Each structure stands twice: as C-alpha cells, then as structure tokens.
Amino acid sequence: MAFDPSEHGPHLPAGRHRGAFARPDAGAASTPDRLPLAYVLPLRATGDTGLAELTGYLRELSRWVDVIVVDGSPPEPFARHAAAWRGLVRHAPPDPALRGCNGTALGVLTGVALARHEHVVIADDDVRYDLAGLRAVHGLLDRVDLVRPQHHFDPLPWPAWRDTGRTLLHRALGGDRPGTLAVRRSTFLAMGGYDPDVLLAHLELVRTVRAYGGVTATPAWLYVRRLPPTAARARRQWAYDELARPRPLLAALAVLPAAAAALAARRPGLLLRAGVATVAVAELGRRRAGGARVFPAHTALAAPVWLLERGVRAWLAAGRRLRGGRPDAEAHPVAHSTRTLRRRLAERRPDDLVLWVETGAAPAPAPVERLAR
C-alpha cells in the first residue's frame, strides 16, 4: 500500500530536531497529582451497551484529568448517562449553535470550547488511555500543536485482527491513523476550529492544523489501547476513507488488476511472493519502536488479507463515488485537501473567530460557550 508522507509523518519546522520528540522519562513524572489536561469525549449512543465498562473507565480517568463528555445521544440515553456520570465528568450536549453533518466534530468543537486547560486530548468512545499515555501526550504538547498516538486493539477478534494488518503497514511506512488526537487549545481556537461538515473528522483536524502551519508529531512508541470495532463499523469507514487520500487510493485500486494479471498469466507464484513481501513489511511495522509488545506476531499475517479487502472496497467506493453516491446518503466531502484548507485560512477575515461554524437564520439557543481567542 502506498504511503502518503503528507498525512502521517511529523511535520517539523526549520530549526526543530527530532530529539524534541524523544520518549519522556517515565520516572520524571511519577507523582500521582492530576494533570493540567482536558479530555474530550464526543459521544452518540442509542443504547446502553458497554455503559458499565465506559463508566468504569471514566471514573478512573477522572482521577487524573478533567473529563468532558459531549453527548449527542437521544434524550433517554442522554438522561441515563447524566445519572451515571454525575460527579464524575462534565456532561453536556453539543453546542446547539453549531451546524454540520459530523457529530464527532460538533462534539470536539463544543468540548474544546469548554476545556479549561491548554492541552486537550480528543478520543473516541472506544479509546482507553492509561496514566502513562496521558503524561506522554501532555509532555509532547509542550513542543508541538498536535499529537497522533499509536492505537492498538485489545482484545483482538477478527475485525480488529484484520485492521491491525493496516496498522502495521502504515507503521512501517511512517505512521498510522489513530482514534485519538491531542491538540493545543490555543492553536485550535486561533485557526477557528475545523469543518464539522466532513465525514472524517480526525483527518480534517490534522489537515487543518497543518494548513494553519502547526507542528504535528506521530510518536510510534506512544501506544494507546482501543477496543475492537464491529465488522460493520470497520467496513463503513474502510469503504470511504481513502477517497480523501488520492495516492493510497490509487495504490488500493491497483491491487485487483495486478492480481488478475498474475492469474491471467498463470503465474500464481507472483501472488505468493507479493503476499510474503506484504507480511515482511508488516513485520517491520510490528517491530518498530517496541511494537512487538502490543502487536502479537500473528498480526503481520493480517496485512495481505487487509490489502486484498481494501482493493475490493476501493473499487466499490470509487464506483459509488462516480455514480454520485455517498455513505449514509450524505452529500458531504470525506475531508478537504490541505491546499483547500490553506486557501480558506488565508482568505479568512480577522474577525472570523469561528471559521467553520454556520448558525441558522433564527436565533439559536444560548450556547455553552463560544469559541474565542
């Protein structure tokens, strides 16, 4: 799979050196004091599946950092969440003045506005930080504007095993796309937040920080546990996320024609060698930065499986795109290009403090807090 360095690697300005991104000394931050860090969890739930486990995680998390749950759930689940988390976290609905198709982005915009600290962790509801991970992120945000940790699945059922093949390939080629980010609040507000009208919110946020001129880091050694996805959830994203990334999309589209050409030429050995090479690359990613301690050896075998499925789904997604279709019938971009974002940021007026927010014609209810410098 082709790797796009503009999306994954650390973006270091002139004069910065990679030593600034070295792993912090764990012994230097061994005190049990709370960290000056906000943790924003955008959430939308329709049932109570996993509520007890999530509540236990939030209870432990709240001992270390300020936790803000921006809950876009329907009224009944919202009320149950409020009862379960009273006294543990700050529980609030998304700002009603915000408009956009992506609930995660609306939750992030609201949560960062509510945060009281400069350093803010943004995490999906399946992400599970430990204290060491939070300390590492906090230390990195002293030096950069945005951090992308490395997630790993635990436990490892079939959908997670298969997706780990993608993770290992991306690690070998530079970096992965995690379910969590960390950002400086001042940078987030100064650039006006980001567009909540896209399908891939995390990718849009990373690109907006880059377009603004922010510094990003992708520490391969910073491992954060993630609960496994369901097969349906994984496939919905896999089918469309490369539409916003032309070079990886072209590489994925080449997989099936290459396999068909090898079979037509009656040279199945080519496919075998390609599979072995893919496993070898994944193994390099598995061993990078001590990854063997969180990625079992057998996960490297998932890389050719994931690559073949990616090839099939890339053609399905491209075909639907050519026919004008989008997932969930939403006519919204997957994510904007960095070039487009640079142009939008350059064209903004000095008073555009909330660049991406559009309010309706009628007066909106009083927001929890408006984004401001």
Side-chain angles (χ1 to χ4, degrees), residues 83-105:
W85 301 335
R86 185 171 294 111
L88 289 180
V89 304
R90 299 171 68 191
H91 182 235
D95 185 339
L98 299 176
R99 299 290 183 271
C101 76
N102 193 303
T104 295

Side-chain angles (χ1 to χ4, degrees), residues 30-117:
S30 58
T31 62
D33 297 339
R34 287 173 61 85
L35 297 171
L37 189 71
Y39 187 105
V40 173
L41 168 58
L43 178 69
R44 180 174 176 81
T46 56
D48 290 335
T49 302
L51 177 59
E53 190 276 338
L54 178 58
T55 300
Y57 172 63
L58 293 177
R59 180 175 292 109
E60 185 172 14
L61 196 63
S62 65
R63 296 168 47 207
W64 307 327
V65 296
D66 289 344
V67 183
I68 303 167
V69 178
V70 183
D71 194 349
S73 304
E76 290 187 6
F78 184 95
R80 288 193 292 269
H81 296 164
W85 301 335
R86 185 171 294 111
L88 289 180
V89 304
R90 299 171 68 191
H91 182 235
D95 185 339
L98 299 176
R99 299 290 183 271
C101 76
N102 193 303
T104 295
L106 296 177
V108 171
L109 287 165
T110 302
V112 174
L114 288 170
R116 300 189 181 103
H117 296 293

Side-chain angles (χ1 to χ4, degrees), residues 139-159:
L140 286 167
L141 284 175
D142 285 334
R143 308 174 182 95
V144 301
D145 298 283
L146 183 141
V147 178
R148 286 183 291 175
Q150 171 65 67
H151 79 246
H152 67 96
F153 291 116
D154 181 20
L156 204 64
W158 166 255

Side-chain angles (χ1 to χ4, degrees), residues 203-242:
L203 178 59
E204 183 77 3
L205 177 53
V206 172
R207 287 183 173 179
T208 305
V209 170
R210 285 184 175 274
Y212 182 72
V215 182
T216 68
T218 309
W221 49 263
L222 179 49
Y223 299 103
V224 176
R225 177 177 171 242
R226 193 173 187 183
L227 301 181
T230 64
R233 178 175 178 176
R235 286 171 179 169
R236 277 198 302 270
Q237 179 168 341
W238 291 349
Y240 294 96
D241 60 358
E242 300 296 16

